[in-house]
Amino acid sequence: MTGDQQSLALLLFGVFVAATLGITTWAGRRRHGSPEEFYAGGRLFSPMENGFALAGDYLSAASFLGISGLIALFGYDGVLYCVGFFVAWLVVLLLVAELVRNCGRFTLADVLAARMRERPVRIAAGVSSVTVCVLYLVAQMVGAGSLVALLIGETGGRARAWTVIGVGTLMVVFVALGGMRATTWIQIVKAVLLMGGAITLTTLVLVRFRGDLDALLSTAAHNSGHGVDFLAPGLTYGGWSARLDFVSLGLALVLGTAGLPHILSRFCTVPTARAARRSVIWSIGLIGGFYLMTMVLGFGAAAVLGSDAVRASHTAGNTAVPLLALDLGGGAGSTGGTVLFAVVAAIAFAAILAVVAGITLASSASVAHDLYGSLSRRAGRTPRGEVVVARIAAVGIGTAAIGLGLLADDLNVAFLVGLAFAAAASANLPVLLYSLFWRRFTARGAVWSVYGGLLPAVVLVVLSPVVSGGPDAIFSGVDFHLFPLQNPGLVSVPLGFLAGWLGTVTSPAPADVPGHAAKHAETEVRALTGAGAA
């Protein structure tokens, strides 16, 4: 990056930061004394607003830069990531959105506690939610440090450290002062910027090839160095072990989205279940359109730049889109290239800030609403006091994320993101589906399901080749890996469902538990009709 490009990128980033701080100041003037206002923005967002916010919450810099880079390097196999991330929203639409809005108030634990003993279930769900959020948050912080340092042309540890500290500080300010209202509008602005940038670059790629997709793909295949194999499966997932690994990752991605705490909390920001369903439809349209454009950008980078040039800039392909923007704008040293490159950098900054704000809010809500509310025995707890705890929790989580982001600077970001999705799919989704659809499901089954999915997910990753046993492992000098796959989803997701079933069948019969049938009937009516929903 030249000095002009770096200066312009930082200027655009500064404009976005100033705008988001303005949004936070505006939102902070509203009263956030009630949990409903702080956690859910007063439930006043329209389906379109919440749909844009969902897209902003979900589409991170990894989607904008990482997936395009994978397609530029591996062709067809990179496209499979787009499919996994997008198909996940059908699960959200068909099984989760409306029912969670009707049964929950602010968090996953609210849905479970509606029909079960509150304290043990809330603690288990709170622990799982915070774990998933922290894993996701650390991944974003590590990615922020690496990506921003790369985009501004400084690869030293000091640049990464200050980036992590800056992003962490901003997210604490967004959440602690503005709550859900500020976070939502930041995500809406980010979604608009992200879609606008993707549309602009996609249009320029199609103009370069005169709208001929066949010419685009054939040129990409030729410049990739792999020929027609670039457009066929097998470059990355050729062997049986690699294919099983991809199935495991795909299972985690498809099922994990419906268990991500910051996604589930968004359904509580709209007034009705119908609005929740319509907001998911809006987000599906936005996310689907974005991933279609991501495919064009990935193949465009391979065609215009060549896979070798992309790999030479960054081995994981994270700089494919910025390099493509530079070329499409007129090349290095040109005004158009400088402007387009800087815009891409600013959009990447915006993506990081919006995602970390949403995750921080969800994790602070779990700490205050679930863990503090269940573990604290102090008399006279008030809703206003819970919001104060949530703000303090946001500061604490932000500080912890900064520290972990600095310590985990050399960790594999994809590993952290995959673990977050695997943990959500293994611990949160089984207990959520059982609670909504299984009449016999018990509190013991809920607790066993959460821990029975969460613990194996973490243990199997520790024993995987990602941590030890290879040149690219976190601890490359030792080898204690026993699990052959990099993602634990293929094993940990079934274990989560199995643990929930086993805990339920070993519990006393529902007829022997006072109020079990009545609680389930009440939850079922509320889930399906919305009667009695908050």
Side-chain angles (χ1 to χ4, degrees), residues 416-437:
L416 291 170
V417 171
L419 178 56
F421 272 85
S426 305
N428 291 350
L429 186 65
V431 72
L432 180 61
L433 295 183
Y434 276 147
S435 180
L436 292 173
F437 297 107

Side-chain angles (χ1 to χ4, degrees), residues 27 30-43 45 106 172-184 269 360-362 364-365 368 383-384 386-395:
R30 301 180 62 92
R31 296 182 62 187
H32 293 111
S34 69
E36 184 175 24
E37 178 65 34
F38 186 78
Y39 299 143
R43 308 188 198 280
F45 294 106
F106 311 121
V172 169
V173 171
F174 294 156
V175 173
L177 298 184
M180 178 59 82
R181 189 173 297 276
T183 300
T184 298
T269 64
T360 304
L361 180 60
S364 64
R384 185 177 296 273
E386 183 180 303
V387 172
V388 173
V389 172
R391 287 195 169 102
I392 296 172
V395 176

Side-chain angles (χ1 to χ4, degrees), residues 146-527:
S146 301
L147 177 62
V148 174
L150 183 66
L151 287 175
I152 65 176
E154 296 183 32
T155 58
R158 181 174 297 181
R160 287 192 176 123
W162 281 111
T163 299
V164 169
I165 293 171
V167 171
T169 302
L170 284 171
M171 78 181 182
V172 169
V173 171
F174 294 156
V175 173
L177 298 184
M180 178 59 82
R181 189 173 297 276
T183 300
T184 298
W185 282 108
I186 291 168
Q187 289 162 346
I188 291 172
V189 172
K190 169 266 184 98
V192 172
L193 291 174
L194 193 61
M195 294 299 293
I199 290 171
T200 301
L201 293 178
T202 301
T203 302
L204 291 175
V205 170
L206 294 177
V207 168
R208 173 73 64 93
F209 290 90
R210 299 181 180 180
D212 189 343
L213 293 178
D214 184 63
L216 169 63
L217 294 176
S218 60
T219 306
H222 178 268
N223 292 340
S224 69
H226 298 288
V228 294
D229 291 340
F230 188 71
L231 305 178
L235 281 183
T236 305
Y237 305 108
W240 282 107
S241 177
R243 291 178 183 177
L244 283 177
D245 219 337
F246 178 76
V247 171
S248 186
L249 176 63
L251 187 66
L253 295 181
V254 171
L255 298 182
T257 300
L260 291 175
H262 63 293
I263 297 297
L264 294 175
S265 65
R266 294 234 57 91
F267 302 131
C268 299
T269 64
V270 290
T272 64
R274 182 172 181 266
R277 182 180 69 250
R278 291 177 61 196
S279 66
V280 175
I281 293 173
W282 270 100
S283 66
I284 286 176
L286 293 168
I287 294 168
F290 175 81
Y291 281 129
L292 286 175
M293 291 185 286
T294 298
M295 296 180 197
V296 175
L297 296 180
F299 285 115
V304 173
L305 305 170
S307 297
D308 289 340
V310 172
R311 188 178 288 106
S313 175
H314 192 277
T315 55
N318 286 341
T319 56
V321 170
L323 290 175
L324 178 63
L326 185 63
D327 189 283
L328 293 174
S334 67
T335 302
T338 298
V339 171
L340 207 54
F341 192 102
V343 167
V344 169
I347 291 173
F349 299 156
I352 291 168
L353 287 177
V355 171
V356 297
I359 300 170
T360 304
L361 180 60
S363 55
S364 64
S366 291
V367 170
H369 188 63
D370 301 329
L371 297 180
Y372 170 76
S374 299
L375 296 175
S376 175
R377 299 183 180 277
R378 190 171 63 185
R381 291 196 308 269
T382 63
R384 185 177 296 273
E386 183 180 303
V387 172
V388 173
V389 172
R391 287 195 169 102
I392 296 172
V395 176
I397 291 169
T399 303
I402 291 172
L404 291 173
L406 294 175
L407 292 174
D409 183 58
D410 294 327
L411 293 187
N412 188 306
V413 177
F415 148 68
L416 291 170
V417 171
L419 178 56
F421 272 85
S426 305
N428 291 350
L429 186 65
V431 72
L432 180 61
L433 295 183
Y434 276 147
S435 180
L436 292 173
F437 297 107
W438 190 11
R439 181 181 299 271
R440 198 197 186 294
F441 194 48
T442 63
R444 179 189 293 178
V447 173
W448 284 26
S449 181
V450 170
Y451 293 127
L454 182 63
L455 294 177
V458 175
V459 170
L460 289 177
V461 168
V462 171
L463 299 177
S464 74
V466 175
V467 176
S468 69
D472 297 326
I474 297 171
F475 303 107
S476 56
V478 296
D479 186 359
F480 52 84
H481 89 277
L482 300 174
F483 185 64
L485 305 181
Q486 294 187 2
N487 190 283
L490 194 62
V491 175
S492 59
V493 172
L495 284 178
F497 281 99
L498 178 62
W501 172 82
L502 188 61
T504 298
V505 298
T506 58
S507 301
D512 299 333
V513 179
H516 183 280
K519 284 257 188 182
H520 176 269
E522 179 185 350
T523 303
E524 187 174 39
V525 170
R526 181 188 299 181

Side-chain angles (χ1 to χ4, degrees), residues 34-62:
S34 69
E36 184 175 24
E37 178 65 34
F38 186 78
Y39 299 143
R43 308 188 198 280
L44 298 176
F45 294 106
S46 69
M48 183 180 74
E49 292 169 344
N50 198 46
F52 271 83
L54 277 168
D57 228 348
Y58 191 68
L59 297 174
S60 65

